[in-house]
Amino acid sequence: MNGVLESSSALGLDSVSTVGLIVIVVLAILSVWSLAVSIERLIAFARARRQSIAFARTLTDRRDADWLPSAIETAGKFPASHLARVVSAGLVTFQRKKSRGSLSNAEVIEATERALEISSMLTTADLRRGLGSLATISTTAPFIGLFGTVIGIIHAFESIANAGGAGGFATVSQGIAEALLTTALGLLVAIPAAWMFNFLTQKIERLHMEMASSSSELMDFFLDLEEGTAA
């Protein structure tokens, strides 16, 4: 403990200005926030991928009307799966519209397609939850650090003024150390946040493509089913 205090004193950080301390605390909070969002999203994506694989393996290869109820029931067992959510929306809509008996095949297909699109958009929005905060942190953290830098420089000049222009580097070392610390902290927070934002965005794009592909395959199945029924 004494070693830490001695190091802080040597760097001139034992009497950081109030504003500088606030900047450091804010950056620390943003760092923890960024880390928490990143870990939560990585866990959510891993769970979605794992359940989607299990969902695809569980579905049977049957392609008839009796396949729909079991597929809907199967989709409900994988709530974290992005594919199950989209496919379930299409299956439920198709079954509900078809059971009415008053809609044409084209109207049933159109309603099902809309349900798939809406479900895909909602699921993608859910996957993006928290990414906005990462983008905000990555863009604002450097400026917060720069603000701390300016405060540190002002602190250094105030030290020179209070010393009447004497004292040399020892007089301004505390302010400079404060300025450099906040600059480094701002970059330390912003760089990982920006990297994780880009990394997670790429993962979401990949998951979105999987949902689009599944929706297309499901629509082909419904079209084939309708043609078989008409025949």
Side-chain angles (χ1 to χ4, degrees):
M1 186 66 177
N2 291 333
V4 174
L5 294 176
E6 290 175 0
S7 299
S8 299
S9 179
L11 290 173
L13 301 180
D14 52 333
S15 56
V16 176
S17 65
T18 302
V19 177
L21 184 60
I22 292 175
V23 170
I24 293 173
V25 171
V26 169
L27 290 173
I29 293 174
L30 292 179
S31 178
V32 174
W33 187 0
S34 174
L35 181 62
V37 170
S38 300
I39 293 176
E40 189 274 333
R41 286 294 83 193
L42 288 174
I43 293 174
F45 292 169
R47 186 184 298 116
R49 173 56 61 87
R50 184 172 61 253
Q51 289 198 11
S52 293
I53 293 175
F55 170 65
R57 289 176 177 174
T58 304
L59 288 180
T60 64
D61 294 328
R62 294 170 56 186
R63 290 295 182 267
D64 51 40
D66 294 335
W67 175 77
L68 293 178
S70 62
I72 294 173
E73 182 181 357
T74 300
K77 298 177 181 178
F78 302 96
S81 169
H82 56 291
L83 295 184
R85 290 176 61 178
V86 174
V87 170
S88 177
L91 293 172
V92 170
T93 301
F94 181 83
Q95 187 182 54
R96 186 173 64 250
K97 298 295 183 181
K98 193 69 175 176
S99 63
R100 288 185 179 181
S102 59
L103 299 177
S104 65
N105 291 343
E107 290 174 329
V108 173
I109 293 297
E110 183 179 356
T112 302
E113 188 173 8
R114 286 198 304 269
L116 288 171
E117 292 176 356
I118 293 173
S119 179
S120 180
M121 288 189 296
L122 292 176
T123 303
T124 301
D126 185 59
L127 291 172
R128 289 185 179 277
R129 188 177 69 248
L131 264 66
S133 61
L134 288 180
T136 301
I137 291 172
S138 65
T139 55
T140 58
F143 293 102
I144 296 175
L146 181 61
F147 175 72
T149 302
V150 173
I151 296 301
I153 296 299
I154 293 175
H155 193 188
F157 279 106
E158 286 180 346
S159 299
I160 294 176
N162 294 333
F169 182 75
T171 305
V172 300
S173 61
Q174 178 178 325
I176 293 176
E178 180 181 330
L180 294 177
L181 176 63
T182 54
T183 302
L185 283 177
L187 295 175
L188 187 63
V189 173
I191 292 174
W195 186 87
M196 285 303 301
F197 174 79
N198 293 328
F199 177 76
L200 294 175
T201 299
Q202 291 178 358
K203 277 189 168 293
I204 290 175
E205 291 299 325
R206 191 177 302 114
L207 296 178
H208 180 72
M209 290 179 60
E210 292 177 358
M211 289 186 289
S213 177
S214 297
S215 297
S216 179
E217 291 180 3
L218 188 61
M219 288 304 302
D220 289 339
F221 162 69
F222 288 144
L223 289 172
D224 292 341
L225 185 63
E226 289 300 300
E227 290 177 0
T229 302

